[in-house]
Amino acid sequence: MKDALKIFACGSNRDLTLAICRNLGLAASPLEVSRFSNDNLHVQIHDNVRERDVFVVQSLSEPVSHHIMELLITLDALRSASARRVTAVIPYYSYARSDKKDAPRISITARLIADMLVTAGASRVLTMDLHADQVHGFFSVPVDHLTAIPIIVDHFRKHHDLSRMVAVATDAGGAKRVGRFSERLGVPMAIIDKRRTSDTEVRQGQVVGDVRDRDVVVFDDEIATAGTLVSTIATLRAAGARSIHVGAVHGVLCGPAMDRLRDADIQSIVVTDTVDVPAEKRLDNLTVLTVAPLLATAIERIHSGESVGALFE
């Protein structure tokens, strides 16, 4: 059956794609991406995909616009080459943050990107830990929405004493996500009353819950500029937290994030490889867990027509 399965790596997640292929016992199919002299992207598929079940791995990470265009052109090329089904595997869907009209005359960009992916040729989408769950509903094709929470929970169980641990949500919006994390970890949770003043500036309020003399793990879907994280740490220290750990699915780590994390009073940081974390960003207290086995299992189940949701039951 695997003869009909093809996996392609776009530019953002080559190492992750190769790890997925190793888990499946397959070789990544060849794909050439180049640029014309006028800066237009050119994608050519160097494999026969006619009537094949094809998966294309690409996170919408920095440079985001380049990676979106690369994915769209690849999807269109695969459809034109008569692939039977094309699944866009998007470990990190960055525009999930733009999920609502919270200001006048703006785009709900998460929906726009969903429409573009389908128009380009995606007949299915496989993604992980969307910032907003409702983005799932923006697609007119089937979506399998995985979570890396069990992977991060297993790491904390193996490497930390949970007897005095509390899971913390950086704001009320993340409470549901952290509730799932704390329930699986078997620890209580607390919430920070956050007030955002701009895209990069956050003013913290009070801690709702008991963190005094506790080992705290701040959990979120992603670490971008780390502005929210730094202000959360200051609030938790003021509230008497004994030690502070951080868990996040997507290690975006953009802008001033690395300087902020180097200076922050954090004992450990755990992210996954949904976004490529280069060597220069791998701090001594940063651990990068792989989601390759989970994605490989999901791809195999999609290919064979088995339930993906059963992975989390």
Side-chain angles (χ1 to χ4, degrees):
M1 184 179 290
K2 285 185 178 178
D3 291 342
L5 174 60
K6 300 286 184 180
I7 299 179
F8 290 88
C10 282
S12 69
N13 292 89
R14 292 192 184 279
D15 289 343
L16 175 60
T17 308
L18 293 177
I20 291 169
C21 290
R22 285 194 297 271
N23 275 269
L24 289 170
L26 296 173
S29 294
L31 171 72
E32 180 187 352
V33 180
S34 58
R35 284 188 181 274
F36 293 111
S37 57
N38 64 357
D39 201 41
N40 289 358
L41 277 174
H42 174 257
V43 175
Q44 186 170 13
I45 311 300
H46 290 299
D47 205 350
N48 178 18
V49 296
R50 184 176 295 274
E51 293 304 316
R52 303 296 204 277
D53 193 10
V54 177
F55 294 78
V56 185
V57 183
Q58 177 85 317
S59 279
L60 307 187
S61 54
E62 207 172 9
V64 179
S65 296
H66 169 84
H67 286 150
I68 289 173
M69 281 304 301
E70 186 180 63
L71 176 58
L72 294 174
I73 295 171
T74 302
L75 293 172
D76 186 61
L78 289 166
R79 179 181 57 181
S80 298
S82 301
R84 177 171 56 83
R85 180 174 64 179
V86 182
T87 300
V89 181
I90 308 175
Y92 173 58
Y93 190 87
S94 59
Y95 273 107
R97 283 178 168 270
S98 302
D99 64 304
K100 56 187 175 295
K101 206 169 183 68
D102 53 3
R105 298 174 295 282
I106 65 168
S107 167
I108 303 177
T109 319
R111 186 186 61 197
L112 172 64
I113 300 299
D115 290 343
M116 290 167 62
L117 290 167
V118 175
T119 299
S123 46
R124 192 178 195 98
V125 171
L126 174 61
T127 190
M128 297 194 71
D129 289 288
L130 292 168
H131 180 72
D133 288 343
Q134 62 264 31
V135 173
H136 188 144
F138 291 171
F139 287 88
S140 58
V141 296
V143 176
D144 291 297
H145 185 195
L146 307 182
T147 179
I149 286 177
I151 296 171
I152 299 173
V153 164
D154 286 347
H155 174 85
F156 276 95
R157 279 181 178 157
K158 291 175 182 176
H159 296 92
H160 297 276
D161 177 7
L162 305 182
S163 62
R164 303 264 321 151
M165 185 163 278
V166 177
V168 173
T170 59
D171 58 21
K176 185 175 180 181
R177 180 186 305 108
V178 177
R180 294 193 293 264
F181 177 79
S182 66
E183 182 179 4
R184 188 175 282 266
L185 193 58
V187 302
M189 69 173 288
I191 303 172
I192 304 292
D193 177 25
K194 182 181 79 173
R195 297 288 185 269
R196 180 172 288 279
T197 57
S198 71
D199 179 52
T200 57
E201 297 295 329
V202 175
R203 176 172 58 83
Q204 295 294 149
Q206 300 296 316
V207 180
V208 181
D210 182 18
V211 298
R212 183 167 296 279
D213 296 323
R214 297 293 192 100
D215 301 312
V216 170
V217 52
V218 180
F219 185 75
D220 212 341
D221 62 309
E222 69 177 75
I223 304 173
T225 64
T228 295
L229 183 57
V230 168
S231 56
T232 296
I233 290 165
T235 300
L236 292 170
R237 285 299 184 191
R242 183 170 69 177
S243 67
I244 296 177
H245 307 268
V246 175
V249 177
H250 312 296
V252 180
L253 307 178
C254 59
M258 298 316 299
D259 290 335
R260 287 171 170 172
L261 293 176
R262 285 189 189 94
D263 296 337
D265 185 12
I266 304 172
Q267 277 60 56
S268 67
I269 307 168
V270 179
V271 298
T272 76
D273 56 356
T274 57
V275 175
D276 182 58
V277 181
E280 62 269 21
K281 291 186 178 182
R282 299 209 176 202
L283 303 176
D284 291 341
N285 62 343
L286 175 67
T287 299
V288 181
L289 307 175
T290 185
V291 295
L294 176 59
L295 286 170
T297 301
I299 287 171
E300 192 166 35
R301 283 175 173 262
I302 291 169
H303 178 63
S304 61
E306 297 178 74
S307 169
V308 174
L311 289 171
F312 304 102
E313 292 178 356

